């Protein structure tokens, strides 16, 4: 057993030394393989799922026609995903307020928009019939309810901290997705917070 362990350790040291001598080449090869793998995966996904080539510009316009959620549409095997449009611009439609009953698809629609914008900006085709997307500097999201009781933070405090971080860092060129604000407090306080946040974002 001692001889086996000594031999294993000697071989390990030899391998480590050989790798150290060629680490630059190995890292360069790894980066190239990773880039090719990424591009091939994006291309194959685009062909298989009928994605379109987005038009990117600096206009501040977001015009997505027949957009689809890239994950949800693959998970829905029994029913078809219904495509939908998203149209926003910096002048007349900077803010959209999405309302509807529970499980109507509001969160899916908002996340879908953020995913399409993100996919376009990394160089991918997108799940839509057509898409014109003005470049954004960041994508911010505030989605879901959670608490951090161990740190003394309620659901409301976690939510407000995240919103405060978004408002402090977002610019006029940011895409902000806020999925329900003001939960965990009274109805009128929650409505007041939501309205103040929306007005602040719209006026930036």
């Amino acid at each position: 057993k001692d001889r086996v362990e000594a031999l294993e350790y000697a071989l390990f040291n030899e391998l480590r030394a050989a790798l150290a001598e060629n680490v630059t080449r190995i890292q360069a090869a790894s980066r190239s393989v990773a880039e090719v793998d990424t591009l091939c995966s994006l291309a194959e996904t685009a062909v298989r799922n009928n994605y379109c080539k987005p038009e990117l510009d600096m206009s501040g316009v977001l015009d997505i026609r027949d957009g689809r959620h890239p994950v949800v549409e693959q998970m829905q095997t029994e029913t078809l995903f219904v495509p939908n449009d998203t149209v926003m611009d910096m002048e007349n439609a900077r803010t959209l307020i999405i309302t509807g009953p529970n499980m109507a698809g509001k969160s899916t629609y908002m996340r879908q928009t953020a995913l399409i914008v993100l996919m376009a900006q990394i160089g991918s085709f997108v799940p839509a019939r057509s898409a014109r997307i003005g470049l954004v500097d960041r994508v911010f999201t505030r989605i879901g309810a959670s608490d951090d009781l161990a740190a003394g933070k309620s659901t409301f405090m976690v939510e407000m901290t995240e919103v405060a971080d978004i408002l402090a860092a977002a610019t006029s060129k940011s895409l902000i997705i806020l999925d329900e604000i003001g939960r965990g407090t009274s109805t009128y306080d929650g409505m007041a917070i939501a309205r103040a946040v929306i007005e602040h974002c719209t006026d930036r």
Side-chain angles (χ1 to χ4, degrees):
K1 180 181 177 183
D2 290 342
R3 290 173 61 191
V4 168
E5 291 179 353
L7 179 59
E8 287 179 349
Y9 186 65
L11 292 173
F12 171 74
N13 284 334
E14 288 179 16
L15 177 61
R16 185 170 60 181
L19 290 174
E21 292 176 1
N22 297 280
V23 66
T24 303
R25 293 171 55 200
I26 293 172
Q27 289 177 339
S30 298
R31 280 192 294 269
S32 297
V33 170
E35 185 174 348
V36 170
D37 179 57
T38 300
L39 296 175
C40 287
S41 296
L42 291 175
E44 182 177 354
T45 301
V47 171
R48 284 188 176 186
N49 301 312
N50 194 30
Y51 288 3
C52 78
K53 180 181 179 180
E55 175 187 345
L56 297 176
D57 56 35
M58 302 299 292
S59 65
V61 170
L62 180 59
D63 189 348
I64 301 169
R65 303 294 173 166
D66 287 344
R68 312 183 312 270
H69 193 295
V71 177
V72 175
E73 75 166 348
Q74 297 303 314
M75 301 301 292
Q76 283 189 323
T77 56
E78 297 181 359
T79 58
L80 292 175
F81 185 92
V82 179
N84 41 72
D85 300 343
T86 304
V87 181
M88 301 178 72
D89 64 64
M90 298 294 287
E91 300 298 326
N92 302 311
R94 293 189 63 181
T95 303
L96 299 181
I97 299 177
I98 313 301
T99 65
N102 289 337
M103 298 301 293
K106 303 182 297 297
S107 296
T108 298
Y109 175 76
M110 289 187 281
R111 296 177 195 203
Q112 162 193 310
T113 301
L115 282 170
I116 289 175
V117 169
L118 180 62
M119 291 173 69
Q121 296 204 149
I122 67 170
S124 172
F125 281 35
V126 299
R129 176 169 52 84
S130 66
R132 179 186 176 195
I133 298 173
L135 292 176
V136 302
D137 56 4
R138 292 182 183 182
V139 177
F140 293 97
T141 62
R142 153 91 280 280
I143 295 173
S146 62
D147 56 41
D148 188 1
L149 297 180
K153 295 181 179 179
S154 65
T155 300
F156 177 71
M157 180 57 71
V158 170
E159 180 182 300
M160 289 298 98
T161 301
E162 291 179 359
V163 169
D165 290 341
I166 290 172
L167 297 183
T171 71
S172 60
K173 296 186 178 297
S174 300
L175 175 63
I176 304 174
I177 304 293
L178 300 173
D179 191 353
E180 298 184 7
I181 306 175
R183 290 173 296 180
T185 186
S186 68
T187 301
Y188 292 111
D189 287 345
M191 287 291 293
I193 291 169
R195 178 170 180 170
V197 170
I198 292 300
E199 288 181 356
H200 177 79
C201 292
T202 303
D203 293 339
R204 295 194 74 153

